[in-house]
Protein backbone atom coordinates (compact mmCIF):
# COMPACT_ATOMS: atom_id res chain seq x y z
CA UNK A 1 0.00 0.00 0.00
CA UNK A 2 2.82 2.38 0.81
CA UNK A 3 4.38 1.77 -2.63
CA UNK A 4 1.07 2.68 -4.33
CA UNK A 5 0.81 5.98 -2.43
CA UNK A 6 4.43 6.84 -3.33
CA UNK A 7 3.72 6.05 -6.99
CA UNK A 8 0.60 8.28 -6.99
CA UNK A 9 2.58 11.12 -5.42
CA UNK A 10 5.36 10.84 -8.02
CA UNK A 11 2.79 10.70 -10.82
CA UNK A 12 1.03 13.83 -9.53
CA UNK A 13 4.28 15.72 -9.08
CA UNK A 14 5.49 14.75 -12.53
CA UNK A 15 2.40 16.38 -14.11
CA UNK A 16 2.94 19.70 -12.36
CA UNK A 17 5.20 20.84 -15.20
CA UNK A 18 2.72 19.85 -17.92
CA UNK A 19 1.06 22.50 -20.07
CA UNK A 20 -2.69 22.28 -19.43
CA UNK A 21 -5.65 23.36 -21.51
CA UNK A 22 -9.40 22.86 -21.29
CA UNK A 23 -12.33 23.15 -23.63
CA UNK A 24 -15.93 22.15 -24.13
CA UNK A 25 -18.45 21.01 -26.64
CA UNK A 26 -21.53 23.09 -25.83
CA UNK A 27 -24.69 20.96 -25.65
CA UNK A 28 -28.14 22.57 -25.77
CA UNK A 29 -30.76 20.57 -23.86
CA UNK A 30 -33.77 22.09 -25.63
CA UNK A 31 -32.57 21.33 -29.18
CA UNK A 32 -30.26 18.31 -28.69
CA UNK A 33 -27.60 20.15 -30.69
CA UNK A 34 -23.93 20.84 -30.02
CA UNK A 35 -21.87 23.94 -30.70
CA UNK A 36 -18.41 23.56 -32.20
CA UNK A 37 -15.84 26.14 -33.21
CA UNK A 38 -14.05 26.25 -36.56
CA UNK A 39 -10.46 27.13 -35.70
CA UNK A 40 -9.00 30.07 -37.62
CA UNK A 41 -5.94 29.87 -39.85
CA UNK A 42 -3.78 31.76 -37.33
CA UNK A 43 -3.86 29.11 -34.57
CA UNK A 44 -2.31 25.66 -34.20
CA UNK A 45 -4.22 22.97 -36.09
CA UNK A 46 -6.22 25.44 -38.19
CA UNK A 47 -9.52 25.01 -40.03
CA UNK A 48 -10.84 22.06 -38.04
CA UNK A 49 -13.98 21.92 -35.91
CA UNK A 50 -13.07 21.68 -32.25
CA UNK A 51 -14.03 22.41 -28.69
CA UNK A 52 -14.20 25.97 -27.44
CA UNK A 53 -11.25 26.35 -25.13
CA UNK A 54 -7.61 27.09 -24.59
CA UNK A 55 -4.72 27.24 -22.17
CA UNK A 56 -5.16 27.41 -18.42
CA UNK A 57 -3.67 30.30 -16.49
CA UNK A 58 -1.26 29.53 -13.66
CA UNK A 59 -3.19 28.08 -10.72
CA UNK A 60 -6.48 28.01 -12.65
CA UNK A 61 -8.64 24.89 -12.40
CA UNK A 62 -9.74 23.14 -15.61
CA UNK A 63 -13.40 24.08 -15.03
CA UNK A 64 -12.65 27.74 -14.27
CA UNK A 65 -10.35 27.96 -17.30
CA UNK A 66 -12.91 26.31 -19.53
CA UNK A 67 -15.64 28.76 -18.49
CA UNK A 68 -13.27 31.69 -19.02
CA UNK A 69 -12.33 30.42 -22.50
CA UNK A 70 -16.00 29.95 -23.45
CA UNK A 71 -16.68 33.58 -22.54
CA UNK A 72 -13.56 34.81 -24.38
CA UNK A 73 -14.19 32.78 -27.55
CA UNK A 74 -17.99 33.07 -27.84
CA UNK A 75 -19.05 36.02 -25.70
CA UNK A 76 -21.41 33.71 -23.79
CA UNK A 77 -21.72 34.68 -20.14
CA UNK A 78 -24.86 32.75 -19.15
CA UNK A 79 -25.37 29.67 -17.02
CA UNK A 80 -23.40 26.61 -18.10
CA UNK A 81 -22.90 23.29 -16.37
CA UNK A 82 -19.63 21.50 -17.16
CA UNK A 83 -19.52 17.71 -17.22
CA UNK A 84 -16.23 15.87 -17.72
CA UNK A 85 -16.02 14.25 -21.15
CA UNK A 86 -12.45 12.98 -21.49
CA UNK A 87 -8.88 13.84 -20.53
CA UNK A 88 -6.33 13.70 -23.35
CA UNK A 89 -2.80 13.28 -22.04
CA UNK A 90 0.28 13.53 -24.23
CA UNK A 91 3.25 12.52 -22.01
CA UNK A 92 5.78 12.99 -24.83
CA UNK A 93 4.69 16.64 -25.15
CA UNK A 94 3.99 17.11 -21.42
CA UNK A 95 0.49 18.32 -22.30
CA UNK A 96 -2.99 17.61 -20.92
CA UNK A 97 -6.28 18.70 -22.49
CA UNK A 98 -9.40 18.52 -20.32
CA UNK A 99 -12.52 17.99 -22.47
CA UNK A 100 -15.92 18.94 -21.06
CA UNK A 101 -19.51 19.02 -22.19
CA UNK A 102 -20.94 22.45 -21.42
CA UNK A 103 -24.69 22.15 -20.92
CA UNK A 104 -26.91 25.16 -21.68
CA UNK A 105 -30.71 25.48 -21.74
CA UNK A 106 -30.97 27.50 -24.96
CA UNK A 107 -28.85 28.02 -28.04
CA UNK A 108 -27.04 31.35 -28.26
CA UNK A 109 -25.35 33.21 -31.09
CA UNK A 110 -21.59 33.07 -30.47
CA UNK A 111 -19.25 35.87 -31.46
CA UNK A 112 -16.04 35.09 -33.35
CA UNK A 113 -12.60 36.26 -32.35
CA UNK A 114 -9.19 35.80 -33.98
CA UNK A 115 -9.08 32.17 -32.84
CA UNK A 116 -12.23 31.14 -34.70
CA UNK A 117 -13.42 31.40 -38.28
CA UNK A 118 -16.92 30.50 -37.16
CA UNK A 119 -19.20 28.55 -34.86
CA UNK A 120 -22.04 26.24 -35.75
CA UNK A 121 -24.74 24.27 -33.96
CA UNK A 122 -24.84 20.64 -35.17
CA UNK A 123 -27.35 17.89 -34.45
CA UNK A 124 -25.84 15.59 -31.84
CA UNK A 125 -24.05 12.72 -33.60
CA UNK A 126 -23.71 14.58 -36.91
CA UNK A 127 -20.07 15.57 -36.74
CA UNK A 128 -18.43 17.52 -39.60
CA UNK A 129 -15.80 15.61 -41.61
CA UNK A 130 -13.02 17.95 -40.55
CA UNK A 131 -13.63 17.56 -36.81
CA UNK A 132 -10.41 17.58 -34.80
CA UNK A 133 -9.18 13.98 -34.42
CA UNK A 134 -8.59 14.32 -30.67
CA UNK A 135 -12.13 15.63 -30.20
CA UNK A 136 -13.49 12.59 -32.04
CA UNK A 137 -11.36 10.39 -29.78
CA UNK A 138 -12.92 12.09 -26.74
CA UNK A 139 -16.49 11.81 -28.08
CA UNK A 140 -16.18 8.13 -28.98
CA UNK A 141 -14.20 7.08 -25.91
CA UNK A 142 -16.00 4.93 -23.37
CA UNK A 143 -16.02 7.89 -20.96
CA UNK A 144 -17.33 10.25 -23.63
CA UNK A 145 -20.15 7.95 -24.71
CA UNK A 146 -21.18 7.40 -21.09
CA UNK A 147 -21.17 11.16 -20.36
CA UNK A 148 -23.32 11.99 -23.40
CA UNK A 149 -25.70 9.07 -22.71
CA UNK A 150 -26.31 10.32 -19.18
CA UNK A 151 -26.91 13.91 -20.32
CA UNK A 152 -29.24 13.03 -23.18
CA UNK A 153 -31.36 10.72 -20.99
CA UNK A 154 -32.12 13.55 -18.53
Amino acid sequence: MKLLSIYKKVLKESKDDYTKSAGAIIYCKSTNRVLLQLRSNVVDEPLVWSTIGGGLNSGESPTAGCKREIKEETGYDGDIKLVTLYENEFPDKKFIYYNFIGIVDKEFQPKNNFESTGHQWFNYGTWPLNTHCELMKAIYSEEGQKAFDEIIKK
Side-chain angles (χ1 to χ4, degrees), residues 17-146:
D17 63 344
Y18 275 43
T19 301
K20 297 173 184 149
S21 294
I25 299 171
I26 309 299
Y27 174 77
C28 179
K29 292 190 298 186
S30 62
T31 62
N32 196 37
R33 297 193 330 158
V34 295
L35 179 67
L36 298 178
Q37 169 181 263
L38 184 60
R39 296 172 61 83
S40 77
N41 61 358
V42 299
V43 297
D44 290 338
E45 301 180 45
L47 306 176
V48 295
W49 292 97
S50 68
T51 59
I52 298 160
L56 301 181
N57 294 330
S58 179
E60 188 174 43
S61 74
T63 54
C66 187
K67 287 180 178 182
R68 176 184 50 75
E69 287 287 340
I70 290 167
K71 183 177 180 183
E72 287 176 8
E73 295 184 9
T74 68
Y76 181 74
D77 196 21
D79 289 334
I80 188 163
K81 177 184 177 187
L82 294 180
V83 174
T84 299
L85 177 64
Y86 187 78
E87 184 179 305
N88 291 72
E89 184 177 336
F90 307 90
D92 57 323
K93 297 179 182 178
K94 291 192 169 192
F95 178 71
I96 299 175
Y97 195 92
Y98 301 93
N99 291 277
F100 294 95
I101 303 167
I103 305 168
V104 296
D105 291 326
K106 295 180 182 176
E107 290 185 13
F108 58 91
Q109 183 61 47
K111 297 175 182 162
N112 291 338
N113 69 11
F114 75 95
E115 295 178 273
S116 61
T117 298
H119 296 83
Q120 186 171 331
W121 290 95
F122 294 93
N123 290 327
Y124 171 74
T126 308
W127 310 108
L129 289 177
N130 59 330
T131 299
H132 193 289
C133 63
E134 292 297 332
L135 174 55
M136 295 308 293
K137 179 179 173 182
I139 291 167
Y140 287 110
S141 69
E142 186 176 330
E143 300 98 320
Q145 290 293 292
K146 183 178 176 185

